[in-house]
Amino acid sequence: PSLEAALEAHALDCVDVVSICTPPQFHYELLSRLIGGKIGRVIFCEKPLVSGREEAELLKKLVGSHPDVTVIPDISRRWNPGLRRVTQTIASGEYGTLEKILIRYTRGICNTGAHLFDLLRMWTGEPIRRVITLGETHTTASPEKSFSFYFEQDSGITGYAEAVDDSRYYLFNMDLYLTGGKIEMRNSGDDSLDYRVRPHHLFEGFRELEPVGHEGHLLADPCFRYAMENIGNFLQEEESPFCILEDALYPLYVAEALEKSYRTGKKEEVIL
């Protein structure tokens, strides 16, 4: 049914949540009509919210002028308890300070990239600031691009992402190297493994990484249910949204910088 037909079927003053599950090319039009019409206290929208920076800027302006409507993007890993615990582990300093991140991924800088860039921002508490694209890899998500790249954050954290052809297999693996240990995300992000530094068992005067913890089946958790619980608590003014507008727009800006670096062959700033 059309948007008009859906709206006619409901009393607009009784709508708390509107969910947008259409193909991405219709997202901005629907968001603008719903926000402008003040239809729904919360608009829950699948990613990507918009097609690029122009629509992103228009959407930010529109949301800013309608503070009574809250857009909550569905970046599903934001609600995953295991992935949220990684944030807490890094922040606690249990394994020291995060220094370097190594990534192997498939399916493009907008598809998988949306989760990848958002998780790094969630875990570290800061955005990627500079990128340089090192090469392109084939992806079945074409016309989307899949790039290998190097990135930097203002705190000094650096990282490297290697793109792999997803026609062979799917990958979403990350190694987070800290001064006193390591956190691994394996099996497409379904497993989290913790390592702590200890004296090396072979080489005197050196240290090695000892496995100290493993949490599996992270993605079996019902993220959609957690999202609905979070939205319900937000409507009751008991909790803030775990995912906000900026979380969905930020990955678009990183992808934009990677595209630019691919064209220029230079290190580019991520313009937020």
Side-chain angles (χ1 to χ4, degrees):
S2 67
L3 175 61
E4 288 75 14
L7 296 178
E8 287 176 3
H10 297 277
L12 300 186
D13 58 351
C14 296
V15 175
D16 285 324
V17 182
V18 179
S19 178
I20 299 177
C21 310
T22 65
Q25 63 266 31
F26 302 113
H27 286 179
Y28 177 73
E29 178 188 357
L30 292 172
L31 282 165
S32 61
R33 293 175 67 183
L34 290 167
I35 296 169
K38 298 182 181 180
I39 301 167
R41 294 169 58 192
V42 167
I43 301 175
F44 186 60
C45 184
E46 298 300 311
K47 67 171 181 65
L49 293 189
V50 294
S51 62
R53 182 174 291 273
E54 182 178 355
E55 286 187 351
E57 295 304 316
L58 290 171
L59 181 59
K60 285 194 291 186
K61 184 177 180 180
L62 184 62
V63 168
S65 62
H66 293 83
D68 49 341
V69 179
T70 301
V71 175
I72 299 181
D74 184 16
I75 303 181
S76 58
R77 285 173 170 83
R78 277 266 165 179
W79 285 278
N80 184 282
L83 298 177
R84 291 177 65 82
R85 279 192 289 275
V86 173
T87 307
Q88 297 164 3
T89 300
I90 293 172
S92 73
E94 180 180 355
Y95 301 128
T97 303
L98 182 61
E99 292 186 316
K100 294 186 179 295
I101 302 169
L102 299 182
I103 300 161
R104 290 181 177 84
Y105 80 103
T106 54
R107 290 197 60 76
I109 57 172
C110 296
N111 191 313
T112 300
H115 291 292
L116 175 60
F117 306 144
D118 181 63
L119 280 176
L120 295 182
R121 184 166 172 254
M122 182 174 79
W123 288 339
T124 66
E126 61 173 320
I128 293 170
R129 286 294 187 181
R130 290 163 294 279
V131 298
I132 183 166
T133 301
L134 304 173
E136 182 180 3
T137 298
H138 172 265
T139 174
T140 59
S142 180
E144 184 180 339
K145 302 292 186 180
S146 209
F147 296 133
S148 295
F149 59 92
Y150 170 82
F151 63 90
E152 299 173 343
Q153 295 179 316
D154 283 345
S155 65
I157 296 171
T158 61
Y160 171 73
E162 177 72 35
V164 179
D165 185 346
D166 65 282
S167 66
R168 297 184 176 92
Y169 37 76
Y170 180 89
L171 278 179
F172 191 79
N173 294 346
M174 285 177 274
D175 295 315
L176 289 78
Y177 289 90
L178 299 97
T179 54
K182 182 175 78 161
I183 301 172
E184 285 186 12
M185 305 305 301
R186 286 290 178 268
N187 192 22
S188 300
D190 199 30
D191 290 274
S192 175
L193 297 89
D194 288 10
Y195 298 77
R196 190 187 305 276
V197 166
R198 70 174 182 186
H200 202 285
H201 72 289
L202 292 176
F203 306 118
E204 185 177 352
F206 291 89
R207 299 192 295 174
E208 65 181 358
L209 292 166
E210 173 190 22
V212 293
H214 170 228
E215 185 175 5
H217 306 294
L218 300 183
L219 302 183
D221 269 329
C223 293
F224 187 78
R225 191 192 78 195
Y226 295 138
M228 294 302 99
E229 290 176 355
N230 178 229
I231 290 172
N233 291 337
F234 169 68
L235 290 170
Q236 297 296 321
E237 300 182 354
E238 297 173 355
E239 199 169 43
S240 297
F242 290 172
C243 190
I244 60 175
L245 179 64
E246 288 76 10
D247 298 327
L249 299 184
Y250 159 72
L252 296 173
Y253 302 147
V254 180
E256 177 187 71
L258 287 168
E259 289 269 14
K260 184 177 181 181
S261 177
Y262 181 65
R263 295 192 303 269
T264 65
K266 300 177 181 179
K267 185 184 293 185
E268 297 291 347
E269 296 284 333
V270 177
I271 301 173
L272 302 178

